[in-house]
Amino acid sequence: MYLDTGDKTQCFGCEGCVQVCPKDAVSMAEDNEGFRYPVIDMEKCIGCSLCRRTCPYAHMPEKHEDNKYVFGGYNNDPKTRFESTSGGAFSAIVDAFCDENYVIFGAEAKGLFVFHSYIKDKSELGKFRKSKYSQSIIGLSYRNAQKFLKEGKKVLFSGTPCQIAGLLSYVETTNTNADKLLTVEVVCEGVPSPLYVRKLDKSIEKKYGSPIESIDYRYTGKSILSHGKWDFEKMRLKILGGGTTANGISRK
């Protein structure tokens, strides 16, 4: 595993090792491309090996070879579909699972910063919609999910497969009852280097005089009554103090 070998191919960046450490001896540090990997502070480390026991790479989840099913569908609400990039499937799952006493975890974006957070009211679900195409910073989400599960709440946790593997490994290592936990994996095809995104931001600021406020990686059109269909070839950038267009930027 990465903590022993330093081999980056052996780390998913799930941050499970960081959150399980009882002495906060593990932290994430960026490499020269901006990707984050765990680092152990040996002055704080007590050698408990919880970080190694939690690592999903070292303890790969069991693969289910049988009884595989595939379903397709979309949300019946056109507004929800327009605001989403996967047909509003996640919103439908939320409606079915989160009836009362629930907490929802997902990836939220503020500018170029993508991080995991949670909400306790479905009316705030909009912050988790849209594809981010960045590896979100998990922060204390595993610990928080564990806390809510211990309080008897339903927990719905959405993330990439490696993040879900990290959460499930964390839950198992800490002997947490996961009967009320539902995980939703978002298929991940890889993310751009954080350094690349920062360089894009600097390039936009140099050209237009303002940095990027937000990125819509799969632009669906200007209104629900017009296009309303996402396109892999259209990316919408919104810059501070300026207007936006698909595949480009315009200033007001």
Side-chain angles (χ1 to χ4, degrees):
M1 60 178 295
Y2 176 81
L3 289 173
D4 297 316
T5 67
D7 183 350
K8 294 179 180 178
T9 65
Q10 297 179 353
C11 178
F12 301 139
C14 72
E15 304 187 43
C17 56
V18 176
Q19 293 183 66
V20 80
C21 180
K23 297 296 182 181
D24 293 326
V26 188
S27 59
M28 301 295 286
E30 291 189 352
D31 67 359
N32 57 355
E33 293 183 279
F35 291 110
R36 303 166 74 245
Y37 294 91
V39 176
I40 299 178
D41 184 342
M42 297 309 298
E43 292 186 0
K44 294 182 180 179
C45 179
I46 58 175
C48 67
S49 292
L50 283 175
C51 54
R52 291 168 174 79
R53 286 167 51 191
T54 303
C55 177
Y57 182 89
H59 306 281
M60 200 69 70
E62 178 184 357
K63 295 182 179 180
H64 298 281
E65 301 295 340
D66 301 321
N67 299 323
K68 294 182 178 179
Y69 301 94
V70 176
F71 301 91
Y74 58 86
N75 200 298
N76 288 327
D77 178 24
K79 183 176 184 295
T80 299
R81 289 200 306 272
F82 178 77
E83 294 174 351
S84 308
T85 48
S86 297
F90 180 61
S91 298
I93 295 173
V94 167
D95 285 336
F97 181 74
C98 301
D99 47 6
E100 59 182 15
N101 199 28
Y102 61 85
V103 183
I104 305 166
F105 287 80
E108 178 181 355
K110 288 187 177 180
L112 302 183
F113 182 51
V114 181
F115 58 98
H116 256 66
S117 62
Y118 65 84
I119 58 176
K120 296 182 179 181
D121 191 322
K122 288 186 285 187
S123 65
E124 302 177 59
L125 193 61
K127 66 173 64 177
F128 296 150
R129 293 186 180 127
K130 294 291 185 181
S131 298
K132 293 6 180 245
Y133 287 90
S134 294
Q135 185 173 21
S136 62
I137 296 175
I138 285 291
L140 297 177
S141 293
Y142 298 165
R143 291 185 184 180
N144 289 330
Q146 177 195 43
K147 177 176 70 73
F148 290 128
L149 288 170
K150 287 183 175 180
E151 293 174 357
K153 297 182 183 296
K154 283 186 172 182
V155 174
L156 191 154
F157 199 106
S158 172
T160 59
C162 57
Q163 291 172 335
I164 298 301
L167 169 65
L168 295 178
S169 186
Y170 175 89
V171 166
E172 181 179 358
T173 302
T174 56
N175 297 314
T176 303
N177 187 330
D179 288 346
K180 293 187 177 182
L181 172 65
L182 176 64
T183 58
V184 180
E185 296 183 25
V186 180
V187 176
C188 176
E189 297 178 298
V191 294
S193 157
L195 179 62
Y196 165 80
V197 178
R198 291 170 192 164
K199 286 186 175 181
L200 172 63
D201 188 36
K202 289 183 179 179
S203 175
I204 292 296
E205 184 173 12
K206 181 178 180 181
K207 184 174 182 178
Y208 296 98
S210 297
I212 297 173
E213 181 178 348
S214 63
I215 301 179
D216 187 346
Y217 287 95
R218 287 195 262 173
Y219 185 49
T220 56
K222 295 181 179 180
S223 74
I224 190 174
L225 298 176
S226 56
H227 303 357
K229 182 179 179 181
W230 58 258
D231 190 334
F232 276 114
E233 297 180 355
K234 290 185 178 181
M235 183 172 73
R236 181 177 183 262
L237 300 182
K238 183 178 181 181
I239 59 176
L240 290 172
T244 62
T245 59
N247 285 334
I249 301 177
S250 65
R251 295 300 295 261
K252 291 182 179 178

